[in-house]
């Protein structure tokens, strides 16, 4: 306990017009938070003010993050402002670090009012990188739009914030710290917790750890390679996969969290997870996986670097879902995918007679369905997969789900996937990202594109490329009516659906810190199994997508920043 009560101050401030949270919170370049006076304080106060005073008075709040540059000073401010705003108890991961899935787990376990996660996910870190603040609500999931809109409206009119500037917390030592504040009847407490243990215990109750240990360290064990990309998940991989499940220590690479993630974006894809991709090529490892900065995304590879698309990943997990004990006990209530994700999951849902939900991009839509008991497994094409054990996508969960399938079927990842394609057919899927595009140019292009595809004459149009002809069957701007509360979410992406089921989707936005990101998604289904390169197979549709949108001409770009 500190000597004497600590002073609580009300500090005048001026609003900023650009603090609208996106699907993954508020993301900006680090220098914005560092250079703009009270920029961080304003947004944190807006979060607290969005919670009614009686609800936050004495409540518990969880704080964690991926450990990126600027996290520690930000946590110091959050602690001081939480105390001044009536929060009674903070739970913080040791060193200020806790993966996004673990934050969701801890919120739910301790019935907290919510959590603040300091992450910019897979975006670059370091002094010249990105920083982000995300607010999760009491269900453990990302705040709904009504909450983020309220935070934004408060941020536009904010005049003052409350802070306890003399409060200093030790983030290294596990246990509780208590502080007396002036005009407060109860002490303000901060609890520093092991960031791994609660989450690891949850996983123990989902998967058969004995079977996984036999797979990974038994007599006929598989060899795996795991790349934490210097993000928050390094200690989780070491504790759970190596120490508990018996993987050799050298199975795990880049497991020391770094503020700049070693100078590379912590983005688990074929472009940035080069350490994993290179180490998988020679066939030494049977299974590989990489994780992003905050641990909610995953990329999985088979032997010789065989690439598993996120769309195929969730479909195969769905088809083998009872290899996971959790679902044997709880049953399966529904499958879900984001609209741009390939329709591979749809075929499994149809065959198993389990309801499928197609939602906008953003995990909060899945969370609402899970809270209503309508959804058990879901995925997004952006390397996100998860179940209803928490309300976030979960990279390590996805890896353990796949290892559970391999342990049950005793087949390689590649053989399991090829059998899946033989059974259901194959979806070829790719995404082109055009990053940091001029916002006005991107918006103008999307507006003109919507006018074009909304014209009645666009339906039934035929596009010929080489020997292939595609006829438009449907074109629209996707909107979603939530079956739980009937809320309507509009303008979620322009869709062109062809008569053979192929799709071209255009979306504007993303979760970057500057400029606009234009994304083109291409999805094509083949019932007959052919082993064609994805980009070759989808080249005709890519040509059509660029022709219809005139994207290169409208944005001044000759090609995408990233292809996944």
């Amino acid at each position: 306990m500190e000597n004497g009560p600590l002073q609580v101050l009300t500090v005048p401030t001026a609003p900023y017009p650009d603090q609208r949270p996106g699907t993954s919170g508020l993301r900006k370049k680090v220098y914005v938070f560092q250079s703009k006076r009270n920029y961080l304080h304003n947004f944190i106060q807006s979060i607290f003010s969005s919670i009614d005073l009686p609800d936050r008075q004495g409540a518990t709040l969880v704080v964690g993050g991926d450990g990126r540059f600027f996290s520690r000073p930000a946590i110091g401010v959050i602690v001081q402002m939480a105390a001044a705003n009536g929060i009674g108890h903070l739970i913080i991961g040791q060193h200020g670090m806790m993966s996004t899935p673990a934050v969701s787990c801890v919120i739910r376990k301790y019935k907290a009012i919510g959590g603040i996660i300091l992450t910019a996910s897979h975006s670059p870190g370091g002094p010249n990188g990105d920083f982000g603040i995300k607010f999760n609500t009491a269900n453990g999931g990302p705040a709904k739009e009504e909450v983020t809109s309220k935070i934004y409206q408060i941020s536009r009119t904010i005049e003052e914030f409350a802070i306890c500037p003399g409060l200093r917390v030790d983030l290294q030592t596990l246990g509780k710290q208590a502080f007396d504040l002036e005009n407060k009847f109860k002490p303000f407490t901060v609890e520093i917790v092991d960031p791994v243990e609660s989450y690891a215990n949850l996983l123990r109750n989902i998967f058969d750890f004995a079977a996984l240990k036999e797979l990974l360290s038994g007599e006929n064990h598989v060899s795996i390679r795991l790349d934490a990309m210097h993000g928050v998940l390094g200690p989780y991989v070491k504790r759970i996969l190596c120490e508990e499940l018996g993987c050799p220590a050298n199975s795990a690479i880049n497991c020391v969290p770094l503020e700049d993630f070693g100078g590379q974006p912590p983005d688990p894809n074929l472009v940035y997870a080069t350490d994993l991709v290179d180490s998988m090529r020679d066939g030494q490892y049977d299974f590989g996986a990489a994780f992003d900065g905050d641990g909610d995304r995953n990329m999985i590879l088979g032997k010789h670097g065989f690439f598993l698309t996120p769309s195929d990943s969730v479909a195969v997990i769905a088809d083998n879902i009872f290899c996971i004990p959790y679902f044997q006990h709880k049953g399966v209530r529904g499958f879900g995918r984001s609209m741009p994700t390939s329709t591979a999951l749809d075929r499994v849902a149809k065959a198993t007679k389990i309801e499928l939900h197609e939602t906008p991009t953003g995990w909060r839509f899945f969370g609402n369905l899970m809270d209503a008991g309508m959804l058990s497994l879901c995925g997004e094409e952006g390397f996100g997969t998860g179940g209803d054990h928490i309300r976030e996508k979960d990279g390590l969960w996805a890896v353990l789900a796949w290892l559970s399938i391999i342990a049950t079927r005793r087949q390689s990842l590649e053989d399991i996937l090829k059998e899946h394609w033989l059974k259901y057919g194959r979806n070829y899927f790719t995404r082109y990202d055009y990053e940091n595009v001029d916002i006005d140019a991107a918006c103008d292009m999307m507006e003109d594109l919507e006018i074009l595809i909304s014209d009645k004459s666009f339906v039934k149009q035929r596009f010929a490329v080489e020997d292939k002809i595609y006829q438009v069957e449907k074109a629209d701007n996707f909107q979603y009516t939530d079956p739980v509360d009937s809320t309507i979410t509009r303008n979620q992406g322009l869709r062109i659906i062809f008569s053979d089921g192929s799709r071209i989707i255009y979306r504007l936005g993303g979760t970057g810190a500057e400029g606009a990101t234009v994304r083109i998604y291409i999805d094509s289904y083949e019932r007959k199994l052919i082993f064609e390169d994805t980009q070759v197979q989808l080249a005709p549709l890519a040509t059509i997508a660029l022709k219809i949108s005139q994207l290169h001409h409208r944005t001044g770009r000759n090609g995408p920043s990233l292809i996944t």
Side-chain angles (χ1 to χ4, degrees), residues 67-385:
R68 66 179 54 234
F69 184 83
F70 195 64
S71 292
R72 292 202 179 204
I75 289 172
V77 169
I78 291 168
V79 171
Q80 293 173 347
M81 294 185 67
N85 278 276
I87 298 295
H89 182 55
L90 279 186
I91 299 174
I92 306 178
Q94 190 178 26
H95 309 298
M97 300 180 71
M98 190 183 294
S99 75
T100 292
V103 171
S104 183
C105 164
V106 172
I107 290 171
R108 294 169 65 81
K109 177 179 178 179
Y110 291 97
K111 296 181 170 52
I113 197 170
I116 295 176
I117 309 174
L118 304 178
T119 180
S121 189
H122 53 294
S123 297
N128 298 314
D130 298 350
F131 188 74
I133 304 169
K134 178 180 168 185
F135 179 57
N136 282 25
T137 49
N139 74 339
K144 295 181 183 179
E145 190 171 4
E146 64 197 56
V147 176
T148 57
S149 293
K150 187 176 180 181
I151 292 169
Y152 175 56
Q153 293 304 325
I154 292 168
S155 78
R156 294 178 63 189
T157 57
I158 189 170
E159 295 179 348
E160 60 187 28
F161 61 84
I163 192 166
C164 183
L167 199 160
R168 300 284 185 270
V169 68
D170 172 12
L171 295 176
Q172 321 306 320
T173 307
L174 295 175
K176 288 186 179 180
Q177 303 163 46
F179 305 87
D180 270 333
L181 276 58
E182 63 180 12
N183 302 322
K184 304 286 183 182
F185 294 111
K186 289 185 178 180
F188 170 71
T189 60
V190 176
E191 185 175 1
I192 307 301
V193 299
D194 177 340
V196 179
E197 189 50 42
S198 289
Y199 173 75
N201 196 48
L202 178 63
L203 294 183
R204 291 182 195 109
N205 290 315
I206 294 172
F207 299 103
D208 183 344
F209 268 35
L212 290 173
K213 187 168 185 176
E214 178 64 25
L215 175 75
L216 298 174
S217 58
E219 187 175 348
N220 297 310
H221 68 274
V222 299
S223 296
I224 72 171
R225 188 75 157 172
L226 301 169
D227 186 352
M229 299 190 78
H230 292 300
V232 72
L233 220 57
Y236 295 77
V237 169
K238 286 286 191 184
R239 286 262 295 276
I240 297 169
L241 271 299
C242 297
E243 294 175 19
E244 186 157 356
L245 296 179
C247 288
N250 61 6
S251 298
I253 57 173
N254 301 322
C255 284
V256 177
L258 299 174
E259 288 189 334
D260 67 349
F261 307 108
Q264 281 270 48
D267 195 350
N269 60 44
L270 295 173
V271 175
Y272 293 118
T274 51
D275 286 351
L276 176 70
V277 172
D278 292 344
S279 67
M280 293 295 294
R281 281 202 182 102
D282 66 4
Q284 179 183 354
Y285 300 102
D286 302 300
F287 180 97
F291 308 98
D292 71 339
D294 64 323
D296 61 351
R297 297 171 193 251
N298 73 95
M299 177 181 74
I300 294 175
L301 302 177
K303 200 162 190 168
H304 300 292
F306 183 87
F307 177 60
L308 173 69
T309 71
S311 299
D312 278 337
S313 179
V314 69
V316 174
I317 293 172
D319 198 41
N320 295 273
I321 198 161
F322 295 114
C323 294
I324 302 169
Y326 174 88
F327 294 110
Q328 296 172 14
H329 301 312
K330 289 200 67 171
V332 180
R333 300 172 179 182
F335 297 139
R337 64 166 175 84
S338 64
M339 181 273 286
T341 301
S342 95
T343 56
L345 181 61
D346 304 38
R347 273 167 265 284
V348 178
K350 184 177 180 181
T352 55
K353 295 182 171 57
I354 292 171
E355 187 170 5
L356 178 101
H357 301 276
E358 182 182 36
T359 73
T361 297
W363 214 258
R364 68 178 185 268
F365 297 102
F366 294 142
N368 214 35
L369 294 167
M370 288 175 180
D371 288 346
M374 298 171 67
L375 186 64
S376 298
L377 171 73
C378 49
E380 293 183 340
E381 49 71 36
F383 296 91
T385 315

Side-chain angles (χ1 to χ4, degrees), residues 48 83-84 87 119 130 157 165 205 235-236 249 266 318 400 412 421 454 497 557:
F48 288 132
I87 298 295
T119 180
D130 298 350
T157 57
N205 290 315
Y236 295 77
L400 293 181
S412 70
W421 290 339
S454 299
I497 303 172
R557 296 294 181 85

